[in-house]
Amino acid sequence: FRIEVVSPERVVFSVETTQIITRTIGGGEIAFLPGHTSFLGALTENHTRVWLSDGTIMNLAIHGGFVEVSDNVVTLQIPITPTPTMLRARRALERAEELTRTENSTEVEASLRRAHARLAAAGGLAGANAGH
């Protein structure tokens, strides 16, 4: 089953998942598993967790929006507004990407992975690869 995160401008990312836990307004936390029945709900600000097919957990900062489940696809329709944390995380990612152009080491690669993780957790997924 898949999760698609979309903003008003574009599809931010789309990946295979095994489970998603998010929070809806007035409904509390809700978990989605493969085969979930059709669903539509309004999202509240929350920490959403996405279990990827490789077993890792992606953490998303959600700032409202909607969740829809249909045909084994969970779609999070979210507004993406840059927060100070997101902007700092983007700058860190840009610095790490610059380093990879001039230096190739385990430490630089780890720095790049950390920057991707910080940006994803800050909700700035547009500039981060979902698999990192």
Side-chain angles (χ1 to χ4, degrees), residues 89 92-93 96 106-121 132:
L93 177 61
T106 306
E107 186 176 318
V108 169
E109 289 175 20
S111 175
L112 185 60
R113 284 192 304 275
R114 284 191 303 272
H116 275 285
R118 280 194 305 272
L119 186 57
H132 291 90

Side-chain angles (χ1 to χ4, degrees), residues 6-79:
V6 299
S7 75
E9 296 85 27
R10 68 188 174 286
V11 173
V12 179
F13 72 86
S14 177
V15 296
E16 292 296 317
T17 181
T18 59
Q19 177 178 320
I20 301 158
I21 297 178
T22 193
R23 184 175 294 275
T24 59
I25 295 174
E29 266 194 348
I30 185 166
F32 299 106
L33 297 168
H36 196 284
T37 188
S38 294
F39 179 85
L40 180 63
L43 295 169
T44 188
E45 293 78 10
N46 77 90
H47 167 213
T48 293
R49 281 104 50 218
V50 178
W51 280 257
L52 301 176
S53 296
D54 67 3
T56 60
I57 299 172
M58 180 188 313
N59 296 292
L60 306 176
I62 300 296
H63 305 285
F66 297 92
V67 59
E68 177 184 10
V69 180
S70 180
D71 298 325
N72 243 4
V73 176
V74 175
T75 304
L76 300 180
Q77 301 169 4
I78 59 171

